[in-house]
Each structure stands twice: as C-alpha cells, then as structure tokens.
C-alpha cells in the first residue's frame, strides 16, 4: 500500500509543470474569487459607484449638492453635460446621471416641486440599489432641510410681514430645533412629495427584461468557446505526439501553412459553435438575434477570431497536450471570472472591473451587450470588435513566433 | 539517385551523426543496420529534410536538397517508424489527405488510392477507420501514404516494428515487389534477418558513424570472422560464465539457452569452447557450425550485440 502511494507521489513530482499548475490553479481561483467578492482590500473608496452629475442650475445650492454627494464614501461624482452623460450611460460606461434642472435652488427654497431627475441603465440593477441608498440619504437631507426652511420662511413672512430678516432667522433656528415636530404634519408630506426624484431608464426601458438572457448566453458561450478552441488548438500537439506532424513537415507544405491550417479549422469551429449557440438562443430561449444582424455576424466573427487565436496560442506555448489542458483551464477560468462570464461585472469591485479589460470574455460580452441590451448602432460597437481583432492579432503573432521556436524544434 | 556528403549532427554534447557519407544508386535497396540509438532515424530525418545537419550536403538526382527543397520533397517518400496516420479517419480519407498535400487531385487521387489499397491488400477495409485496423494493417497503410505521390526514393524507418511474423512477411513481400518495380529505398532496421533478406547493400551504423558498408557478400568477405559456432545448452548458471566471457571477449553472444561464438577457425576453436562450457557447468544440448551472419560482423566491428 505504502509502496504504491510512494510510487504515485514520485510520479506526481516528476511532472514539474503539472505540480506547479495543480497548486497554482486553486491559488489563482481563490485569489480571483476573493477579489470578485470584495474580500481583498476593504477600502470603501474602491467600491464607490460612479455617478454623473449634470448641473443646469449652477447655483450655490446645486454646488452644495455636488460637494455633499462627492464627499459620500459610496459615491464618486463626475460633472458632465447631459449629452455626454447620456452617451456614457448608453455605452454602458456609467450607471446613472443626476440632473439638477434650472430653478433647482429656487424651487427648494420656495418649497415647490424640485426640478431634478435621475437617468440610469436598467442593466445595472445592483449598482442602482447601492446608488439609491447613498443618494437618498444625502440628497434628501439637503432638499428636505432647505425645503423646510423655505416653507417656514414663506409662512413667517406671510403671517408677519413686518419682521426683519434677523428676526426671521432667529425664529427659523428655533423651528429647526423642533424639527421632529414636523414628522407627521401635512407640511412634511408636501415637502417629501416635492423632493421626489423622478427616475428614467436610458437603457433597457423598452426591452422585455432579456438582460439575464444576454448575460447567460454571451457569458457561457464565450467561456465554453475558449475551452473548445483550446482543445482544438491542442490537436497541433496531438499531431506531434502521433507523428503526423513530422509527416506533415516532410510533405511539400510550408511549416507556417500547418499553423495557419490549424488556425483556420479552429476559427471555423469557433464560428460554428457561436452561431449554433445564438440560433439555439433564438429558437428556444427567445433572444431576438435579428435586432442587429450585421453587427451580430461581425461580432461572432471577431469573438471567434480572438478565441481561436487563444487556442492556437496555448498550443504554441505548451510542450504537451497535458500542459495545454492544465494551463488553458487555469487561464480560461481566470479570464472568464474577471471578464464577467461567471458573474456580471457590476457585482464586482472596481479593481476587478479594471482588470476585466485584459479578458477576451469582457470585450466579447460587452459587444453582445451593445447589440442586444444597449442596442447600439454598428458604428458604436466597432471599437470593441477592433479590440477583439487586436487581441487575435497579438496572440497570432506570438503563436507564430512560439511555433517556430518550440514546435519546429521538437520534431 | 541520392548523394549525402559528410553529414554531421549534434545535440548539445551528444554527437548523433558524425561525417556520414552515402551514395545510393537508382533502384537500389540500401539497408541501414544498427542498434537502437545508432543514428538511423536521425539520418533519415536529415535526408528527408526534417532536420538540418550541422554540416554536410545532400543531393537528389544531382540537385541540392536545400536549394531545391520543394522539388526534392516530391521525390521523397517517408514511412516513419510510428503510425503517422489519423486514427479516426478511414484508409481512403487518410490517403486522400496525404495525396492532396503532394498536389494529387480528383480522379487521379482516387485511382492512386484504390490501386495502392489493392496492392497492399486493404481494399476491402478501405472505408474503415484506421483505429479498427490491426497493427500489421496499420503498418501497410503507413507505407501506402508514403507511396501515393510516386516518389523516386522511399525511406523506410523500421517499418516492421511491433508486428507479428505473418504481417512482417506481408510487408517484406510488399517491399520486394516495390524493389522489383525499380523503386529506390533506404531501409533501416536492427534486425539482421531483414537486412540480409531485403537489401542489396548494407551500411552498418553505430554511434552516428557508418562503420562498414557493402553487399552481404562483401561484408562477409571483408570480415576476419568466417564462421559461427552455435551452442545450445540448458541449466546455465550465470555466476559461472565469467571464464567464457573473459576468454571470448567481443566474440561471444550469450543468450538464455544458447551462445554464438564468432570465429575465424571454428573447427580449431571448438574443443576449447566445449571444455570451457564444461567448466562453466553448462549442459550442452546441440553444437552447430554455421556461416557468418551480420550479427557476428556487427559484434566484431563494435564489440556489442545489435540488440544491446
């Protein structure tokens, strides 16, 4: 029994790469998931939600709102014009914009209905929940206080037109001390009504709630595609192990031709897999794939190019199929986690969102979100397609170099 | 047909080939005989352009291999030691794939493929996947893939490894038929019987060097050994064989139940040998004096057995 165990342990330690990967894989996943769930780095600032702020009133009070909200730990404010803010939200780059319209201060002070509005992306439900919490307490703190003051001011002036300003302020101070006394009064209800913040969805308001569907399809499709293309790319190493690679090299074929042939077949399989997945999603899950068909076709092609290049890249840097299997599992799980395939990105802390840009999954998923959720025109999706093609190009160049350096020397 | 001059190849500190020269005539079947690791596969890899030598030149029909790579590659067919085929494809699919790489297309490819499968006795299994084939059948289809483009010279790297005697005979017949059709072949093996049976000329290779070359008769004539004493015994006591091995160092091949002594004068040496066997407590069953084999020539040249 011990002899067998000892032999197995010896064999295990013989394959240094396998040992390394078997230890690295769980460590990497623990780290990634800890980051995803926000377990590392307790800084609240890193979890702050970006809120756009459009100030059309440009008064002392509107400025005070900006300063107060920005000082809140859970919020990070950015001043933008409404057009800029709208564009950022529609492109999925920001969650919401708080607009304070002209007359904001006057209305607050007069105790009238406050001209303000919150525009948001319905896709970012979780962020919106957190945002509302932070916004309500601070924004209403200001508007309620000012509103009450305005109401009291108006009332005192109506009732005692002969009082001086300093006398009015003195009365207001006394009223403020008795603030709790307003809690059940009609005045309080009226102020609350006036302080109501209308909310309008800029993205997703007309859609039939297919956000989860898009997340599931795009996330899983890309992750599974990466696994498939890795297996397909590994067939290059199978050729080497079976001896057919030597035979191919003896035939009148350029070595690069072998690599490009593999890339082409992997690309074909990637396109086929994505196409079948979207057709299935249309036929069975009800995803409207005709919403922007040219963009979908191009996006499938670009995602397939980036993913298939990843498959060939893995084959070209590894020395055996075993290595491809271990290393690609590690990389795919990591990039799928940080890229949003496993969990929507808006659940994740800011650092993870920043890391996501290194992932193929992220760009592919963002592209599919642009098509199905944000319903952007092709021109706005093109940058993401170009990034995917860029990833594909970089991985292909590295693959060609590694192929020449590694595989050709291993015959 | 093929001229190779001063081929040298090293891997770090290991010299795989050292100054190997070869001249193969058209229609010749040249055998390269040597133990495992002698440099046979390296030689074939270099001659078929798979590996670049550190030094040396190779010419096919007078054309330098590396200056006319594409043209020369079409003259070459290689039967690798491993079954270099796609297991999950049928024989026909495999042949069509390899044929297409050599520019054979359409009906011509179909015709060539059918002819070869018929020739190799695989026509009735042509649409079956390779993984369903026996070892011998796989070896034959491995040969077919190298012949599809009508090469002028075929390298066969130990094409009978791991198959049963019947399948081996079938392959010998195929090789003999190809030889009779005038195909030039280089055949590597570590089985002397194969080299003796098939080859016009034999090059004995060891530690990356060709140490002797010629027809079987020439090799025998040039050897100082003329005969072999084959002695069959039972109950060998391995601890008591030292006297024998010391006395006949570099001349003696000891096996489980028999020994072979290479000798220039068998009749004169026989009494002493029997006496030593008796001292070594070997119970003799049978004694034979046979003509010289390649095994003894190899032993004489290298001091070791072909199967070492």
């Amino acid at each position: 029994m011990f002899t067998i165990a000892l032999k197995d342990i010896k064999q295990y330690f013989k394959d240094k790469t396998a040992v390394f990967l078997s230890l690295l894989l769980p460590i990497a996943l623990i780290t990634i998931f800890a980051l995803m769930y926000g377990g590392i780095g307790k800084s609240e600032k890193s979890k702050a939600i970006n809120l756009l702020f459009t100030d059309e009133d440009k008064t002392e009070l509107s400025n005070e709102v900006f300063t107060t909200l920005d000082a809140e730990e859970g919020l990070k404010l950015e001043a933008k014009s409404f057009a800029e803010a709208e564009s950022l939200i529609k492109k999925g780059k920001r969650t919401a914009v708080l607009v304070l319209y002209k007359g904001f201060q006057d209305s607050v002070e007069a105790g009238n209905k406050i001209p303000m509005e919150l525009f948001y992306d319905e896709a970012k439900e979780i962020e919106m929940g957190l945002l509302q919490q932070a916004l309500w307490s601070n924004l209403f703190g200001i508007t309620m206080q000012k509103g009450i003051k305005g109401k009291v001011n108006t009332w005192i002036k109506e009732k005692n037109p002969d009082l001086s300003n300093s006398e009015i302020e003195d009365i207001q101070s006394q009223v403020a001390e008795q603030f709790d006394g307003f809690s059940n009064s009609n005045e309080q209800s009226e102020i609350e009504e006036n302080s109501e913040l209308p909310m309008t969805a800029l993205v997703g308001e007309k859609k039939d709630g297919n956000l989860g569907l898009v997340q599931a399809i795009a996330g899983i499709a890309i992750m599974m595609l990466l696994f498939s293309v890795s297996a397909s790319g590994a067939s290059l190493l199978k050729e080497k192990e079976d001896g057919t690679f030597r035979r191919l090299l003896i035939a009148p074929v350029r070595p690069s031709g072998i690599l490009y042939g593999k890339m082409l077949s992997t690309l074909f399989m990637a396109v086929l897999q994505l196409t079948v997945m979207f057709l299935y999603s249309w036929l069975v899950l009800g995803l409207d794939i005709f919403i922007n068909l040219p963009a979908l076709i191009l996006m499938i092609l670009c995602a397939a190019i980036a993913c298939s290049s990843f498959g060939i890249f893995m084959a070209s840097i590894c020395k055996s199929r075993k290595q491809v299997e271990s290393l690609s599992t590690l990389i795919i799980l990591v990039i799928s986690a940080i890229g949003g395939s496993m969990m929507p990105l808006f659940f994740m802390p800011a650092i993870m969102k920043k890391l996501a840009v290194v992932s193929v999954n992220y760009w592919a998923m963002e592209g599919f979100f642009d098509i199905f959720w944000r319903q952007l025109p092709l021109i706005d999706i093109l940058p993401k397609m170009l990034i995917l093609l860029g990833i594909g190009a970089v991985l292909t160049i590295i693959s060609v170099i590694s192929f020449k350096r590694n595989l050709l020397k291993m015959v | 047909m093929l001229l190779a001059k001063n081929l040298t190849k090293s891997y770090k500190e290991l010299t795989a080939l050292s100054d190997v020269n070869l001249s193969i005539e058209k229609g010749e079947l040249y055998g390269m005989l040597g133990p495992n690791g002698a440099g046979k596969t390296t030689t074939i890899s270099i001659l078929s352009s798979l590996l670049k030598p550190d030094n040396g030149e190779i010419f096919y029909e007078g054309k330098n291999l590396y200056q006319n790579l594409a043209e020369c590659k079409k003259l070459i067919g290689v039967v690798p030691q491993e079954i270099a085929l796609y297991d999950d494809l049928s024989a026909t699919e495999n042949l069509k794939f390899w044929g297409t790489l050599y520019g054979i297309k359409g009906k011509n490819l179909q015709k060539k493929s059918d002819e070869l499968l018929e020739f190799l006795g695989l026509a009735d299994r042509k649409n079956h996947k390779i993984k369903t084939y026996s070892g011998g059948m796989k070896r034959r289809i491995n040969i077919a893939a190298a012949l599809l483009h009508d090469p002028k010279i075929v390298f066969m790297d130990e094409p009978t490894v791991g198959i049963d005697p019947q399948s081996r005979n079938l392959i010998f017949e195929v090789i003999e038929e190809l030889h009779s059709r005038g195909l030039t072949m280089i055949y590597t093996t570590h089985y002397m019987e194969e080299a003796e049976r098939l080859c016009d000329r034999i090059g004995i290779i060891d530690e990356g060097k060709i140490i002797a070359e010629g027809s079987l008769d020439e090799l025998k004539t040039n050897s100082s050994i003329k005969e072999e004493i084959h002695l069959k015994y039972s109950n060998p006591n391995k601890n008591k064989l030292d006297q024998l091995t010391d006395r006949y160092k570099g001349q003696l091949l000891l096996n489980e139940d028999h020994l072979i002594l290479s000798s220039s004068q068998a009749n004169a040496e026989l009494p002493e040998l029997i006496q030593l066997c008796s001292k070594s407590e070997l119970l003799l069953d049978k004694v034979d004096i046979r003509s010289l084999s390649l095994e003894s020539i190899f032993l004489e040249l290298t001091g070791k057995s072909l199967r070492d």
Side-chain angles (χ1 to χ4, degrees), chain A residues 239 243 246-247 249-252, chain B residues 45 73 78 82 84 86 102 142:
Chain A
E239 299 252 13
R246 285 167 66 91
R247 198 166 214 162
L249 288 172
I250 291 165
Chain B
S45 298
K73 275 187 168 186
V78 178
E82 62 274 20
Y86 299 104
Y102 283 88
N142 206 28

Side-chain angles (χ1 to χ4, degrees), chain B residues 99-113:
Chain B
T100 309
L101 291 184
Y102 283 88
I104 312 167
K105 287 173 192 163
K107 284 182 182 171
N108 190 26
L109 180 58
Q110 183 69 54
K111 191 172 158 244
K112 286 262 173 208
S113 164

Side-chain angles (χ1 to χ4, degrees), chain A residues 112-125:
Chain A
N112 296 332
K113 185 155 180 62
I114 305 167
M116 59 181 180
E117 196 167 359
L118 186 75
F119 295 89
Y120 67 102
D121 179 356
E122 228 175 15
K124 302 185 174 171
E125 214 174 319

Side-chain angles (χ1 to χ4, degrees), chain B residues 2 4 7 17 20-24 29-35 38-45 47 155-158 185-192 194-195 199 201-206 208-213 294 298 306:
Chain B
L2 165 65
L7 299 180
L17 278 192
V20 167
N21 290 286
L22 279 174
S23 176
I24 313 294
L29 204 170
Y30 183 91
M32 197 173 275
L33 181 71
K40 302 186 295 289
T41 301
T42 304
T43 309
I44 286 193
S45 298
L47 294 175
F155 298 102
M156 295 201 176
D157 192 6
E158 309 209 23
M185 283 179 277
I186 293 185
Y187 186 99
T188 74
T189 181
H190 61 269
Y191 295 117
M192 60 158 188
E194 292 188 359
C199 303
R201 238 165 18 109
I202 298 158
I204 296 178
I205 185 167
D206 188 45
K209 289 179 188 162
I210 293 186
I211 51 178
E213 195 179 51
L294 278 171
F298 188 82
L306 265 170

Side-chain angles (χ1 to χ4, degrees), chain B residues 227-236 241 244 248 251-262 266 269-290:
Chain B
E227 287 165 315
E228 291 171 356
I229 302 172
H230 288 243
L231 206 147
K232 199 167 184 310
Y233 49 74
S234 51
N235 299 331
L241 297 176
L244 268 173
Y248 298 112
Q251 269 184 280
L252 192 68
L253 289 170
L254 270 170
N255 292 304
E256 190 104 323
D257 61 350
H258 73 283
L259 63 80
I260 302 168
L261 180 73
S262 310
E269 285 194 85
L270 192 56
E272 190 192 348
L273 175 65
I274 291 172
Q275 202 178 2
L276 278 171
C277 285
S278 171
K279 280 184 184 173
S280 304
E281 295 178 10
L282 287 175
L283 298 174
L284 302 182
D285 292 337
K286 195 179 170 189
V287 178
D288 250 347
I289 296 178
R290 296 183 195 171

